[in-house]
Amino acid sequence: MQLLQAPSLSNITLLSTTSSLNRGFLSPKKSFDISTVNCSISSQRHEGFVRLLRSQSISSTVTTRAASVKADASIVSIGTAENDVLAVLSQIIDPDFGTDIVSCGFVKDLHINETLGEVSFRLELTTPACPIKDMFEQKANEVVAMLPWVKKVNVTMSAQPARPVFEGQLPIGLQTISNIVAVSSCKGGVGKSTVAVNLAYTLAGMGARVGIFDADVYGPSLPTMVSPENCLLEMNPEKRSIIPTEYLGVKLVSFGFAGQGRAIMRGPMVSGVINQLLTTSEWGELDYLVIDMPPGTGDIQLTLCQVVPLTAAVVVTTPQKLAFIDVAKGVRMFSKLKVPCVAVVENMSHFDADGKRYYPFGRGSGSQVVQQFGIPHLFDLPIRPTLSASGDSGMPEVVADPQGEVARTFQELGVCVVQQCAKIRQQVSTAVTYDKSIKAIRVKVPDSDEEFFLHPATVRRNDQSAQSIDEWTGEQKLQYTDIPEDIEPEDIWPMGNYAVSITWPDGFIQIAPYDQLQTMERLVHVCKPAPAQDRRGLASHGGSVPIFFLSFSLSHERFKYVESGGWWVRIVIIHVHVHPLKSNNILSFSLSLLQCT
């Protein structure tokens, strides 16, 4: 067969997949030059492909011209007033997301009266506890008022409704909670409950709706640290649910409020009690639910992490080396369960006397956790008699002395938790999305700068559930031809911080962990559609905009090594599928002789 040259494919960079790495074939993130291209289709089909591209180009030209006329008409009808307001508001950048507030979708209910020169709009932030909401309001007023035709600006502030990133398959009691923060130490006696309670009341003081769940059934601390009027949990007989008690506007649930005292029971029973208390309570709409985790890394902790979609964790330690050893176990547990640790609190770190600072328990445990595990923030709590006394009196220190040094430290911790939770929610909600314009699934795993694209059919074919693979024999039940090439996902929802749930047209719901998505074959040379003005320009000159993308897969059984000039060159057959947009035709090229550069 005659070899056909494909200039458009000569400079393609192929990214090696992780599955190839595991077999020892390719080095990560190396580029390869395609030396020869062996076309596996007949010249007649190739001519058909050219005709297809030409017909699409003509269609594209007609469509883009029509779109140009329509766009010009819409610009005239809309006017420039709204564009002017949005343009100046886009100068305000959210420091947490690194994006302007217009792109973040914060600007709502924009109303303009050009005759009177009045502009009104609402800024809907991700949380009512946003530490820079006053700055947003001030800057929005300033930039809009600077427009020459504006005489009056009315800005109102609000927050998004409380809801988790992933609402599916959650117990009813947890479906209206935005963020669930675990406060953990994996060691008793380090002040974990003190940190949890004071953090919760700090977030409440910042304007958030907050609840506290005391998960320590064996030794509940919450009844001692707060003093609500009603010290017993009540039941809702109609809904068969638990009504939390309240203290200073914060909702509270603890086994200590159940009238049973401390539990004397085995582990499985404790896990059941915790599950019931947490999931059947009527928490209502909460921005933050702070969970005071029990010490250890056993069944109870794993049950909590698996039942509840934890947003983040705060780790509490003391300066001693012994505390660090246990805390390290907890950090590794959260890492394995894909729960990001956002801050470390080193309690009882020092005290001041006679103008000097003393470290009675040594130094370095907190900073060692930060350095070893890459946790971004460290906060030191001093030894204060008032902090200990407030825990026994039933009034948190941040409430008793809101201007004190301890309250300032917790204020900084609260700001950190708010900002980090917002970042995590943003990363998780946009980690896996479907781009209809190029018919590809875009993946950007949280805490990773890498972004790549996957073909929807590839994702569907790589399902690892029992419906696709026999659990006993490992035999592949889902066949390659069972999935059409043009399949598109109907919906993509994040599942905590570790996976996404993908709904397909046949009703199948696929759970795709981030780790698995990173091992799949990827689309390369993904071309985004040209902007409207560029397409209009090309169309006016009679040009066309061919848009296509490529996917490739490695056939590990079809390779060999040959020696050439003292170098070992690995020859691999790669199947490249060219998918012109809005076409179901698939053309297969066999690319051979990949030489590492």
mmCIF file of all heavy atoms in Angstrom, residues 126 353 382 423 450 527 540 559:
data_model
loop_
_atom_site.group_PDB
_atom_site.id
_atom_site.type_symbol
_atom_site.label_atom_id
_atom_site.label_comp_id
_atom_site.label_asym_id
_atom_site.label_seq_id
_atom_site.Cartn_x
_atom_site.Cartn_y
_atom_site.Cartn_z
ATOM 1 N N THR A 126 -19.854 32.807 47.876
ATOM 2 C CA THR A 126 -19.956 31.373 48.140
ATOM 3 C C THR A 126 -20.338 31.081 49.577
ATOM 4 O O THR A 126 -20.884 30.017 49.876
ATOM 5 C CB THR A 126 -18.630 30.679 47.817
ATOM 6 O OG1 THR A 126 -17.577 31.296 48.583
ATOM 7 C CG2 THR A 126 -18.296 30.804 46.336
ATOM 8 N N ALA A 353 6.105 34.948 80.261
ATOM 9 C CA ALA A 353 6.242 35.349 81.665
ATOM 10 C C ALA A 353 7.524 36.152 81.821
ATOM 11 O O ALA A 353 8.556 35.816 81.227
ATOM 12 C CB ALA A 353 6.266 34.130 82.586
ATOM 13 N N PRO A 382 -1.348 29.536 72.589
ATOM 14 C CA PRO A 382 -0.536 29.598 73.811
ATOM 15 C C PRO A 382 -1.217 28.901 74.978
ATOM 16 O O PRO A 382 -2.401 28.557 74.930
ATOM 17 C CB PRO A 382 -0.425 31.106 74.050
ATOM 18 C CG PRO A 382 -1.692 31.660 73.487
ATOM 19 C CD PRO A 382 -2.034 30.806 72.298
ATOM 20 N N LYS A 423 -11.958 27.203 48.070
ATOM 21 C CA LYS A 423 -11.069 26.723 47.002
ATOM 22 C C LYS A 423 -11.350 25.265 46.675
ATOM 23 O O LYS A 423 -11.413 24.876 45.499
ATOM 24 C CB LYS A 423 -9.612 26.884 47.431
ATOM 25 C CG LYS A 423 -9.083 28.304 47.376
ATOM 26 C CD LYS A 423 -7.604 28.321 47.743
ATOM 27 C CE LYS A 423 -7.049 29.741 47.723
ATOM 28 N NZ LYS A 423 -5.611 29.758 48.081
ATOM 29 N N GLU A 450 -2.106 19.796 36.154
ATOM 30 C CA GLU A 450 -2.270 19.124 34.869
ATOM 31 C C GLU A 450 -3.733 19.131 34.445
ATOM 32 O O GLU A 450 -4.628 18.856 35.230
ATOM 33 C CB GLU A 450 -1.759 17.688 34.965
ATOM 34 C CG GLU A 450 -1.827 16.942 33.647
ATOM 35 C CD GLU A 450 -1.391 15.493 33.787
ATOM 36 O OE1 GLU A 450 -1.482 14.953 34.903
ATOM 37 O OE2 GLU A 450 -0.960 14.911 32.786
ATOM 38 N N CYS A 527 -8.471 20.902 19.616
ATOM 39 C CA CYS A 527 -8.617 22.250 19.055
ATOM 40 C C CYS A 527 -9.931 22.842 19.519
ATOM 41 O O CYS A 527 -10.987 22.270 19.287
ATOM 42 C CB CYS A 527 -8.581 22.222 17.535
ATOM 43 S SG CYS A 527 -7.042 21.577 16.872
ATOM 44 N N SER A 540 -15.462 35.525 5.685
ATOM 45 C CA SER A 540 -15.552 36.628 4.726
ATOM 46 C C SER A 540 -14.502 36.508 3.642
ATOM 47 O O SER A 540 -14.666 37.035 2.550
ATOM 48 C CB SER A 540 -15.409 37.968 5.454
ATOM 49 O OG SER A 540 -14.124 38.052 6.060
ATOM 50 N N PHE A 559 4.331 -4.664 19.753
ATOM 51 C CA PHE A 559 5.503 -3.821 19.765
ATOM 52 C C PHE A 559 6.741 -4.704 19.731
ATOM 53 O O PHE A 559 6.697 -5.896 20.026
ATOM 54 C CB PHE A 559 5.539 -2.926 21.012
ATOM 55 C CG PHE A 559 5.881 -3.657 22.262
ATOM 56 C CD1 PHE A 559 7.190 -3.715 22.722
ATOM 57 C CD2 PHE A 559 4.906 -4.320 22.977
ATOM 58 C CE1 PHE A 559 7.501 -4.399 23.868
ATOM 59 C CE2 PHE A 559 5.216 -5.010 24.132
ATOM 60 C CZ PHE A 559 6.524 -5.048 24.575
#
